[in-house]
Amino acid sequence: MSMFGRSPNAPTGSVNPERVEMAIQELDMVTDIFNRLVSTCHAKCISTRYAEGDLNKGESVCIDRCVAKFFEANKKVGERLQNVGANASGATGAFGL
Amino acid sequence: MSMFGRSPNAPTGSVNPERVEMAIQELDMVTDIFNRLVSTCHAKCISTRYAEGDLNKGESVCIDRCVAKFFEANKKVGERLQNVGANASGATGAFGL
Amino acid sequence: MSMFGRSPNAPTGSVNPERVEMAIQELDMVTDIFNRLVSTCHAKCISTRYAEGDLNKGESVCIDRCVAKFFEANKKVGERLQNVGANASGATGAFGL
Amino acid sequence: MDFSAFNAAEQAHMTKVIEKKQMQDFMRMYSSLVERCFTSCCNDFTSKALSSKEEQCMMNCADKFLKHSERVGARFAEQNAEAMNAAAQK
Amino acid sequence: MDFSAFNAAEQAHMTKVIEKKQMQDFMRMYSSLVERCFTSCCNDFTSKALSSKEEQCMMNCADKFLKHSERVGARFAEQNAEAMNAAAQK
Amino acid sequence: MDFSAFNAAEQAHMTKVIEKKQMQDFMRMYSSLVERCFTSCCNDFTSKALSSKEEQCMMNCADKFLKHSERVGARFAEQNAEAMNAAAQK
């Protein structure tokens, strides 16, 4: 999953802080999305009665569909935001800093 | 928004780690409060029916009042905590570390 | 609360980054659990009517029991996870990175 | 926030820090938006495809959330400016 | 937590780290308190001014939250001490 | 994620970063699991001891959450692979 443009290969053997920084940000982004996906689909699909420790058939099917639907929804939102993304000052930008 | 005392000007051209650290903490604090404000006023003011993509009149007015009220509430709580703030050990302080 | 094995004493006077890193991770873990404990027991025990600023008798007793029960629950889950903990790849591990 | 007491080196450092935090903040906002809108809009898991009704809801929710954030940001900046003026006059 | 195995340099470093984290923790506690109390106390947006009833609710909520956190902290420390003793006797 | 454009030093650095993040992630998952299951399973505070019914609920909840996370992780990886293939063919 590559969300950001990748700068051209650096042939040197030293660590380029900016490349590494960008990779870490991408990793954080994926982790954040994944954690929200786990939590969201848990709320949608898992009964809180906890009568047994296994996923039942209905829960398993629901999880599969929930993940697929979340991906599609995420993609649609991403396309929508691409238009406003260039001036992506986000929340902090509004602080008048 | 200056929540903390500012140390006197440093005339040198090198980075004073403590000053920078303090500014970053202040920035994190403002960001945290802002994100909570966005989330809180969203829950208070925005209908989750999502029949249209624009803020309607009622929502817009509600947001303005919600932000003003949140600021006032935040100020009151800040004044209250100033009394206990000196020994601001907070949660971590209670760990017996 | 020592959740992780401690490496043997280092007699030198320099900072061992790995030891310090581990201690910071342990600190973060304890802080995270504590914050969740505060929030969980608040939801379980504190009435949101806020007619007075003091904890009443029922709330106080509830908090004590809530903390004790949370500790016991945490311990049980910890024991359960120890079995799967060795291959503790967690969420990130599942990313196919 | 007022960085006028900072020297040039410190201001340059803070600019970098702020840029990085804005990026993180935008990402966090983005993923929280997806989570929030998905939770509100998608409740039918008899199919794995997003229905056109769900898609419309996601778009409206995203648009509305951005406008909401902008409006809160504008009011926040105003209130901040007011609070700083009040503090300066003390 | 037990830092007795640490040398002086490491203990000094950890003290600094802990101080910084306590500050962050206090801030996080503060903003979560404001959010929590505002959510419980303020539900009327026909006016932008905090009513006296809402203000009283905020103050009670803040006081109660602090006392709650203190009590949880005290119990947490006791339970921790117990758990460490139990572990040491194994 | 694709680190093939990275040189050896960068790959070694990223490996360390990822290991550290996996540890943090596992911890965060663990404490969120405890919080989530406690919230669902423990609602009787007339006693401080975990009842056998509550304990059973906690165990089932923990087991189910782990299986849920695994399943989500597997589907996530598949969807990711698909998305990358689709992007590569453009």
Side-chain angles (χ1 to χ4, degrees), chain D residues 13-71:
Chain D
H13 184 80
M14 282 311 294
T15 302
K16 269 201 144 177
V17 168
I18 289 171
E19 274 169 12
K20 189 182 153 186
K21 282 188 185 293
Q22 282 181 338
M23 189 60 181
Q24 288 174 338
D25 219 62
F26 178 74
M27 286 177 174
R28 212 197 68 94
M29 187 275 285
Y30 173 83
S31 55
S32 84
L33 183 160
V34 173
E35 182 185 21
R36 181 189 308 270
C37 294
F38 187 83
T39 296
S40 287
C41 294
C42 300
N43 287 298
D44 170 23
F45 296 100
T46 56
S47 155
K48 68 172 209 168
L50 208 62
S51 73
S52 65
K53 203 182 131 208
E54 287 170 332
E55 183 176 338
Q56 189 57 55
C57 181
M58 288 294 302
M59 294 298 100
N60 288 343
C61 177
D63 286 351
K64 215 170 209 177
F65 185 81
L66 292 178
K67 285 165 192 163
H68 167 73
S69 295
E70 262 173 51
R71 193 171 187 105

Side-chain angles (χ1 to χ4, degrees), chain B residues 1 12-13 19 28 52 54, chain D residues 5 7 9 64 67 80 84:
Chain B
M1 188 146 132
T12 67
R19 279 156 61 95
D28 285 344
E52 79 285 305
D54 285 314
Chain D
N7 62 44
K64 215 170 209 177
K67 285 165 192 163
N80 249 354
M84 286 180 74

Side-chain angles (χ1 to χ4, degrees), chain C residues 31-91:
Chain C
T31 304
D32 187 26
I33 279 279
F34 179 76
N35 288 332
R36 290 175 190 271
L37 175 62
V38 167
S39 166
T40 304
C41 292
H42 194 276
K44 297 284 186 193
C45 297
I46 307 297
S47 149
T48 54
R49 283 182 54 258
Y50 297 119
E52 79 285 305
D54 285 314
L55 298 172
N56 62 43
K57 184 78 191 138
E59 290 170 331
S60 300
V61 172
C62 180
I63 292 168
D64 295 352
R65 289 172 180 159
C66 183
V67 174
K69 205 171 253 203
F70 192 93
F71 256 77
E72 207 183 330
N74 181 50
K75 200 173 140 238
K76 298 284 182 199
V77 172
E79 288 164 6
R80 184 67 138 226
L81 260 70
Q82 216 114 59
N83 308 326
V84 283
N87 46 346
S89 57

Side-chain angles (χ1 to χ4, degrees), chain B residues 28-39:
Chain B
D28 285 344
M29 173 76 177
V30 177
T31 305
D32 186 27
I33 279 279
F34 179 76
N35 288 334
R36 289 174 191 272
L37 176 62
V38 168
S39 167

Side-chain angles (χ1 to χ4, degrees), chain C residues 50-55, chain E residues 56 59-65 67:
Chain C
Y50 297 119
E52 79 285 305
D54 285 314
L55 298 172
Chain E
Q56 189 57 56
M59 292 299 99
N60 288 343
C61 177
D63 286 351
K64 216 170 208 178
F65 185 81
K67 284 166 192 162

Side-chain angles (χ1 to χ4, degrees), chain F residues 25-68:
Chain F
D25 219 61
F26 177 74
M27 286 176 174
R28 212 197 67 94
M29 188 275 287
Y30 174 84
S31 54
S32 84
L33 182 161
V34 173
E35 182 184 21
R36 180 188 308 270
C37 293
F38 187 84
T39 296
S40 288
C41 294
C42 301
N43 287 299
D44 170 24
F45 296 100
T46 56
S47 154
K48 68 172 208 166
L50 207 61
S51 73
S52 64
K53 202 182 132 208
E54 288 171 332
E55 183 177 336
Q56 189 58 54
C57 181
M58 288 294 301
M59 293 300 98
N60 287 343
C61 177
D63 285 352
K64 216 169 207 177
F65 185 81
L66 293 178
K67 284 165 192 162
H68 167 74

